[in-house]
C-alpha cells in the first residue's frame, strides 16, 4: 500500500467517524491539531485517555471507530488488538470484579477505549488521531511527509490463559518468545551489554513519556493516569 493510499484510507475513516457523531459527541472527540499537550499525552493504563469513549457511542459509531483503528493495523495486528481488548473480561473475573477505579464505567472494560481526532482529516495535513485504552494504544500523525504511527502500544494481562482443553492463549507469545530467543543467542559479553538490570523493573522504564532520553527511569504511578480517584489502589 502506498503512502498516498494509506493517507486516503485514514482520512476517509476519520471523516466517516466524525460525520457519524452528534454535536455534543463531536465536541469531545474532535480537537485542533494545535492541542499539543493532549495530543502528545498518552497512556497504557486503565484511565481516562481523553476523547469520546466507546460507551458513549452508538453501535454504528463504535464500528466507525474500529474502522479507523483497522487502517493502521495489519489483519493480524487487528486480531491481536481485539483479543487484548477482550482480555479485560478475563482480567475482571480473575480480580473477582473488584471496583478498583470507581470513576470509570468499569474497572476492566473492553469498551473503555477512547477516540480523538486532532485537526481536519478531510483537509490538508497535518492532522492526527488516537484510539486508546488499557493495553491497546494507537497514535497516528499524518504530515506532508507521510504517516507516523507512533506510539503504538500492545500489552496483555493476563499474558497467558488456559482456554478450552489444552489450548493456551498467549496473544503476544510470539513476540515474547522471540525476545527470549534473541537473549539466549547472545554471547556472555553481548548479554552483559544488553541486560540493563538483573531484576525486571516494576514497570516500563520509558513509562508514557512523549520523548525518551538516556537514563530515564520509570515514572511515579500517578503520572500514568490522567484522571483517577484512587491511583494508589493500583500497584505496579
Amino acid at each position: 500500500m502506498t503512502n498516498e493510499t494509506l493517507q486516503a484510507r485514514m482520512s476517509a475513516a476519520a471523516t466517516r467517524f466524525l460525520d457519524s457523531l452528534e454535536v455534543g459527541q463531536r465536541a469531545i472527540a474532535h480537537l485542533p491539531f494545535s492541542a499539543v499537550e493532549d495530543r502528545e499525552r498518552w497512556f497504557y493504563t486503565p484511565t481516562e485517555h481523553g476523547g469520546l469513549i466507546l460507551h458513549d457511542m452508538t453501535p454504528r459509531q463504535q464500528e466507525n471507530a474500529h474502522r479507523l483503528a483497522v487502517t493502521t493495523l495489519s489483519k493480524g495486528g487487528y486480531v491481536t488488538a481485539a483479543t487484548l481488548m477482550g482480555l479485560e473480561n478475563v482480567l475482571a473475573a480473575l480480580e473477582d470484579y473488584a471496583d478498583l477505579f470507581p470513576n470509570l464505567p468499569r474497572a476492566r472494560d473492553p469498551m473503555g477505549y477512547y477516540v480523538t481526532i486532532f485537526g481536519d482529516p478531510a483537509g490538508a495535513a497535518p492532522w492526527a488521531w488516537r484510539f486508546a485504552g488499557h493495553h491497546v494504544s494507537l497514535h497516528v500523525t499524518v504530515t506532508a511527509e507521510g504517516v507516523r504511527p507512533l506510539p503504538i502500544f500492545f500489552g496483555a494481562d493476563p499474558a497467558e490463559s488456559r482456554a478450552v482443553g489444552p489450548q493456551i492463549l498467549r496473544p503476544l507469545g510470539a513476540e515474547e518468545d522471540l525476545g527470549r530467543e534473541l537473549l539466549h543467542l547472545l554471547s556472555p559479553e553481548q548479554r552483559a551489554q544488553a541486560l540493563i538490570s538483573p531484576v525486571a523493573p516494576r514497570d516500563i522504564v520509558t513509562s508514557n513519556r512523549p520523548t525518551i532520553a538516556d537514563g530515564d527511569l520509570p515514572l511515579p504511578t500517578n503520572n500514568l493516569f490522567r484522571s483517577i480517584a484512587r491511583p494508589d489502589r493500583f500497584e505496579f
Side-chain angles (χ1 to χ4, degrees):
M1 183 185 301
T2 66
N3 183 67
E4 290 76 14
T5 301
L6 179 57
Q7 288 194 45
R9 285 187 61 197
M10 287 186 177
S11 175
T15 301
R16 180 175 187 160
F17 171 72
L18 288 177
D19 287 346
S20 71
L21 302 181
E22 301 293 337
V23 174
Q25 293 174 309
R26 186 162 181 149
I28 298 171
H30 195 194
L31 298 178
F33 187 78
S34 59
V36 177
E37 183 177 356
D38 196 298
R39 180 164 51 84
E40 294 186 353
R41 194 175 186 196
W42 72 284
F43 306 91
Y44 50 84
T45 52
T47 187
E48 193 271 311
H49 285 246
L52 186 64
I53 191 172
L54 293 178
H55 273 291
D56 294 337
M57 302 181 197
T58 66
R60 186 63 67 193
Q61 291 167 344
Q62 293 168 9
E63 183 178 88
N64 289 337
H66 279 268
R67 284 176 181 267
L68 179 59
V70 165
T71 62
T72 197
L73 298 171
S74 65
K75 182 177 180 180
Y78 181 69
V79 169
T80 302
T83 301
L84 297 174
M85 292 169 67
L87 273 180
E88 293 296 323
N89 284 325
V90 178
L91 182 57
L94 291 173
E95 295 175 337
D96 196 25
Y97 303 98
D99 189 19
L100 298 173
F101 312 107
N103 64 329
L104 295 179
R106 282 179 61 189
R108 308 300 187 186
D109 191 359
M111 297 282 284
Y113 283 77
Y114 301 75
V115 181
T116 312
I117 310 295
F118 298 91
D120 182 8
W127 65 279
W129 61 271
R130 177 174 67 214
F131 180 100
H134 185 212
H135 282 169
V136 176
S137 193
L138 310 176
H139 303 73
V140 176
T141 302
V142 179
T143 71
E145 289 74 35
V147 176
R148 300 176 180 177
L150 293 171
I152 287 181
F153 179 89
F154 280 9
D157 190 0
E160 181 175 304
S161 307
R162 181 170 294 281
V164 176
Q167 298 181 53
I168 301 295
L169 177 63
R170 300 176 65 217
L172 300 179
E175 289 76 12
E176 182 180 351
D177 291 344
L178 280 173
R180 295 182 186 279
E181 182 180 348
L182 173 61
L183 187 63
H184 289 302
L185 289 174
L186 300 179
S187 67
E189 293 77 15
Q190 291 173 318
R191 187 179 298 188
Q193 288 184 294
L195 285 175
I196 63 172
S197 173
V199 179
R202 61 177 174 80
D203 193 36
I204 300 168
V205 173
T206 55
S207 299
N208 60 336
R209 293 177 171 88
T211 58
I212 301 170
D214 188 31
D216 282 342
L217 296 173
L219 292 172
T221 301
N222 285 358
N223 291 65
L224 305 179
F225 293 85
R226 178 191 290 266
S227 175
I228 207 75
R230 288 286 306 281
D232 57 296
R233 293 177 64 181
F234 187 71
E235 297 297 333
F236 288 101

